[in-house]
Amino acid sequence: MATDVNAAFAQEKAGQIEAVHDEARAFQERIDQGEIAPIGGDRYLVLTGWDEGETFTVRRNTQGRIEQILAQHGLDTTTGGAALYTTTPAWHGLGAVIPGGTTDIDDVLKLARIDWEVSKQPVLYEWVDDLRDATDRYVTVRTDTGDALGTVGGRYEVFQNRRVFEFLQDLVQHHDAVWESAGALRGGRKVFVTMRIPHSIVIDRGGLDDEIVLYLAAVNSHDGTSSAESIVTPWRIACGNTERFATRDAVHRWGIRHTKGGLSNLEEARRTLGLTLAYAKSFEAEENMFVRTELLVDDFHTLIDGLWPVGEDAKKRSKTFAQNRHDELDGMFREQARKLGRTAYAAERTITDFLDHRAGVVPRSLGEDLARAQRSLEGTNDDLKSQTHRKLLLLAR
């Protein structure tokens, strides 16, 4: 059994679109159940599942029935097609798909429609009848379309798209890397490239054979809003959503400031990558230990009660909420145990799934619906996941 978040995302996306195409009633039921929320006009926000936080637009006919779901993939389309190269078809069906991939950087740049460069042009403003330069202010401009991407300072160094590929290639110290995906988002303001790390994490080899594939990705902005970033992640980037998820679920990341020499100092990046891969091997050993550690239902109850303690003086509403959560987790664990065995591994998978896709949120000023979507963006549950792992390690040892 393989844990492939990309396949799960695509499957859920297909199911989501198919469900709302069946009939308008099913769509309304998803709203009523808190899975999606209207955010104005014909736009909706996904609140649960692999595509939590995504927005999409619904087109209806004159009778009000749903005719089309337009997911917001976020890919650059300014040159007439989607700026995406990938080895595997994405959920939206866009881009250039090359099964098996290629090792040639120039081919990928062309297929991904990112074979353009960026220049810095001075910011000009009109004063009376005079055209003046804004001191130390520049506009980053695409050289193929002339589109302005952002405003930056004089010290800002443009990282050309090809240079980012070369950085990843040099980082892994071999030039036969197969590029998994590459493309541009938001009109070219953000560019990404992904390569697969050769060594996967395999949990219970020969048994569950639960494989976690990791990717090394670089995400570069041309608009001055963020540093370039390299990440190790289980996500293959193929749209705006998966770019966000890749960053959210990164095993490790390191930022690269847009300054001279920013992409030249590889030693620290290589050291960080080495530590990350060493951590991945350690994580694999710990997860395999969890597979071999039996866990009684009572032990699981003790675990979740420790993660979400409820004091004796808690209000009745809080106790009821806690009991409902306890019952839901109990049912999820029993279901996981039927597939994975009654083990510490099944317990961790249960809690992770609950936190990622089912846990409620405390209403905030922006409203409960938006708060639920924002939970994943802010990493609110990361600490609970770490606590779960540490507690299970104590049990396993």
Side-chain angles (χ1 to χ4, degrees), residues 289-309:
M289 190 191 316
F290 289 173
V291 171
R292 298 188 295 270
T293 302
E294 293 187 5
L295 195 73
L296 299 176
V297 172
D298 285 347
D299 293 330
F300 180 73
H301 291 170
T302 300
L303 172 67
I304 60 178
D305 289 343
L307 291 170
W308 291 280

Side-chain angles (χ1 to χ4, degrees), residues 263-285:
L263 288 173
S264 301
N265 185 8
L266 285 167
E267 293 311 310
E268 179 61 22
R270 284 187 183 131
R271 187 187 72 84
T272 303
L273 178 62
L275 291 174
T276 299
L277 297 182
Y279 166 77
K281 290 182 179 178
S282 174
F283 175 79
E284 180 179 21

Side-chain angles (χ1 to χ4, degrees), residues 59-275:
R59 284 184 179 174
R60 303 175 186 271
N61 60 23
T62 55
Q63 287 75 43
R65 294 185 64 83
I66 296 168
E67 288 188 330
Q68 190 176 14
I69 301 297
L70 302 174
Q72 307 301 302
H73 51 71
L75 293 168
D76 172 34
T77 58
T78 56
T79 59
L84 174 67
Y85 150 89
T86 178
T87 61
T88 306
W91 61 267
H92 44 61
L94 302 174
V97 181
I98 308 297
T102 178
T103 61
D104 190 285
I105 292 177
D106 292 316
D107 283 350
V108 176
L109 287 168
K110 185 175 181 180
L111 289 165
R113 295 174 179 262
I114 55 174
D115 53 343
W116 39 265
E117 294 193 339
V118 175
S119 66
K120 278 170 57 176
Q121 302 294 329
V123 171
L124 304 177
Y125 66 96
E126 188 175 356
W127 178 253
V128 190
D129 294 326
D130 190 17
L131 197 61
R132 301 183 180 183
D133 289 353
T135 304
D136 200 38
R137 303 304 296 168
Y138 297 85
V139 177
T140 52
V141 179
R142 283 181 60 158
T143 57
D144 62 334
T145 64
D147 292 342
L149 301 177
T151 306
V152 299
R155 296 182 59 192
Y156 180 93
E157 188 75 12
V158 171
F159 294 159
Q160 303 296 351
N161 296 337
R162 195 181 201 286
R163 184 67 186 92
V164 173
F165 278 78
E166 292 170 344
F167 173 77
L168 279 195
Q169 205 172 52
D170 293 341
L171 183 60
V172 296
Q173 294 182 301
H174 64 82
H175 286 214
D176 58 350
V178 173
W179 304 106
E180 285 284 335
S181 68
L185 305 167
R186 297 172 50 232
R189 292 172 180 81
K190 187 171 285 188
V191 175
F192 61 86
V193 56
T194 310
M195 69 167 63
R196 177 170 173 167
I197 292 176
H199 305 292
S200 303
I201 296 173
V202 181
I203 311 301
D204 194 23
R205 190 182 296 275
L208 296 174
D209 276 330
D210 196 352
E211 181 182 17
I212 302 173
V213 176
L214 293 177
Y215 298 91
L216 176 62
V219 181
N220 180 35
S221 69
H222 287 305
D223 60 3
T225 58
S226 62
S227 299
E229 193 171 39
S230 291
I231 56 177
V232 177
T233 177
W235 289 94
R236 179 197 305 106
I237 305 176
C239 64
N241 294 307
T242 47
E243 183 270 327
R244 177 164 54 85
F245 300 155
T247 303
R248 180 195 68 188
D249 296 340
V251 176
H252 201 92
R253 69 188 70 189
W254 55 98
I256 308 163
R257 296 182 64 188
H258 282 265
T259 57
K260 286 186 181 294
L263 288 173
S264 301
N265 185 8
L266 285 167
E267 293 311 310
E268 179 61 22
R270 284 187 183 131
R271 187 187 72 84
T272 303
L273 178 62
L275 291 174

Side-chain angles (χ1 to χ4, degrees), residues 13-84:
K13 172 62 61 184
Q16 177 193 59
I17 294 176
E18 183 62 29
V20 296
H21 278 167
D22 284 344
E23 54 179 321
R25 182 180 56 80
F27 186 75
Q28 185 60 47
E29 285 178 357
R30 298 199 71 208
I31 297 175
D32 297 340
Q33 293 167 5
E35 296 179 15
I36 56 178
I39 55 175
D42 289 327
R43 297 178 65 242
Y44 293 83
L45 178 71
V46 181
L47 303 177
T48 62
W50 289 103
D51 51 354
E52 178 182 3
E54 179 202 350
T55 62
F56 61 91
T57 302
V58 173
R59 284 184 179 174
R60 303 175 186 271
N61 60 23
T62 55
Q63 287 75 43
R65 294 185 64 83
I66 296 168
E67 288 188 330
Q68 190 176 14
I69 301 297
L70 302 174
Q72 307 301 302
H73 51 71
L75 293 168
D76 172 34
T77 58
T78 56
T79 59
L84 174 67

